[in-house]
Amino acid sequence: MATVTFSSSSSFMDKFSQLNVPFVPPRTLSKRFRDSTRCELTESLQYSGTNGKPFSFQSEPIFPKPSSFLLRSNKEPERKSDTRLRLFSGTANPSLSQEIAHYMGLDLGKITIKHFADDEIYVQLQESVRGCDVFLIQPTCSPVNENLMELLIMIDACRRASSKTVTAVIPYFGYARADRKTQGRESIAAKLVANMITSAGADRVLACDLHSKQTEGYFDISVDHVYGQPVILDYLASKMVYHGDMVVVSPDVGGVARARGFAKKLSDAPLAIVDKRRQGHNVSEVMNLIGDVKGKVAILVDDMIDTAGTITNAAALLQREGAREVIACCTHAVFSPPAIERLSSGLFQEVIVTNTIPVAQSNYFPQLTILSVANLLAETIWRVHGNSSVSSIFQ
């Protein structure tokens, strides 16, 4: 069937009315920021907040709300008819992939992923991607090696299916902490993984909150680095806390830049720093506190919580220094044992994370709040596909 692109000129419309062909209305490749109302997903996609209940938000926070954060809409997403954009999900975090597709008004592509008897991974696309911009959504979380290999094979399958471009959407980038040599004869695994993704055939990587900015330089392809902070800031802005009662705390010296940026966007809140000395991998010892937290709500900010050793030691120090409440905020909820026992020990009034990594229901505890980054990633995907600015999302 023939198609004609819509035009507003009257002469064209007179001629067009004589044709028996359908209109193809123009579409917008990139969505705009929504006004301050949250995205209402289907019931099966909702994430639980404190005590396993949906989040509740205050309508008028006392301190000024940050200007440009979470992307939301109360309306049902408009269905797009874009045959050049395809989304596929790996098995690492299918619920996040489904949320992203829902926000974009698209359906996830059909794909078969299975294991042979010897645990080899088999991937086959069930639809054509020839000439399409393909986005593969797959965090390389636990089991890290299996999810990473699955991503590599998915990239190879798309490349061999003649896709125009392949973008690896990696909400959580595994091996990111192995980004430098601290001792002799160590590997820099972050660079190795970057080389593997590039060699597999990816044209671009879209990652969320890399452990260090230098990781972007390990890739020989374009990297769009987005941050989960806007989602957490938007949630904190809804809480009825006077900004003069808050202090943003970095749990270690290496996270000072992250905490400073977080504090600046949170109504320029004061900053404190926990000085610690690491004795080994996943083992830390808190030494002292730089800054004043007495009688204040201390907001601990980090990019990830793994075994929770660093952040719980910091929380214990903050309580000894007189903090009224301690709230932990991080983008990636790795939650390796014994993280749940430490986080639920009573040191924290709330632990705020995002769904870049799926959190099993067995790991839920009363203080846990999970926020979704689906809208943030979906908006970024639209802008990458439409060759629009990504950095303007965070301005």
Side-chain angles (χ1 to χ4, degrees), residues 140-160:
T140 53
C141 51
S142 181
V144 180
N145 297 331
E146 181 176 319
N147 288 330
L148 173 61
M149 196 64 199
E150 184 179 302
L151 173 63
L152 298 176
I153 298 175
M154 289 170 65
I155 294 172
D156 183 70
C158 292
R159 177 59 60 202
R160 295 180 185 279

Side-chain angles (χ1 to χ4, degrees), residues 166-327:
V166 179
T167 300
V169 181
I170 311 176
Y172 170 72
F173 182 70
Y175 289 104
R177 286 171 286 183
D179 57 357
R180 64 192 185 280
K181 291 183 66 173
T182 58
Q183 302 178 43
R185 299 177 297 279
E186 284 186 330
S187 71
I188 303 179
K191 171 60 175 174
L192 173 63
V193 173
N195 288 342
M196 293 168 65
I197 292 173
T198 303
S199 298
D203 298 286
R204 179 183 296 269
V205 167
L206 197 169
C208 184
D209 264 326
L210 294 170
H211 185 64
S212 60
K213 289 188 176 182
Q214 68 200 49
T215 306
E216 294 184 49
Y218 294 160
F219 289 90
D220 296 327
I221 55 179
S222 299
V223 176
D224 290 304
H225 187 192
V226 300
Y227 300 89
Q229 280 190 359
V231 179
I232 299 174
L233 285 165
D234 184 79
Y235 174 74
L236 289 174
S238 69
K239 301 177 72 67
M240 302 297 286
V241 179
Y242 178 59
H243 98 279
D245 290 339
M246 292 189 304
V247 57
V248 176
V249 183
S250 172
D252 54 31
V253 176
V256 172
R258 181 186 303 107
R260 184 185 294 116
F262 194 93
K264 184 177 181 180
K265 294 179 180 178
L266 199 60
S267 301
D268 204 15
L271 180 67
I273 303 169
V274 174
D275 176 38
K276 69 178 180 64
R277 304 295 171 87
R278 186 173 293 278
Q279 296 177 327
H281 294 296
N282 295 327
V283 178
S284 63
E285 179 183 353
V286 172
M287 302 300 292
N288 52 34
L289 177 68
I290 304 171
D292 179 27
V293 299
K294 189 173 182 179
K296 296 184 178 181
V297 177
I299 302 176
L300 276 164
V301 178
D302 210 344
D303 63 324
M304 69 175 70
I305 297 178
D306 189 358
T307 61
T310 297
I311 207 162
T312 52
N313 286 341
L317 176 63
L318 293 173
Q319 287 197 351
R320 291 196 300 268
E321 294 292 331
R324 188 172 83 240
E325 294 182 3
V326 179
I327 298 175

Side-chain angles (χ1 to χ4, degrees), residues 47 333 335 340 353-355 357-364 368 370:
Y47 278 79
F335 288 176
I340 303 304
V353 301
T354 72
N355 63 341
I357 297 175
V359 180
Q361 289 191 356
S362 59
N363 288 335
Y364 286 4
L368 180 64
I370 303 175

Side-chain angles (χ1 to χ4, degrees), residues 28-46:
T28 303
L29 290 179
S30 175
K31 292 190 176 182
R32 301 298 181 188
F33 277 88
R34 309 300 187 190
D35 52 1
S36 57
T37 53
R38 286 191 177 272
C39 177
E40 295 182 353
L41 302 174
T42 60
E43 184 176 353
S44 61
L45 299 179
Q46 290 181 347

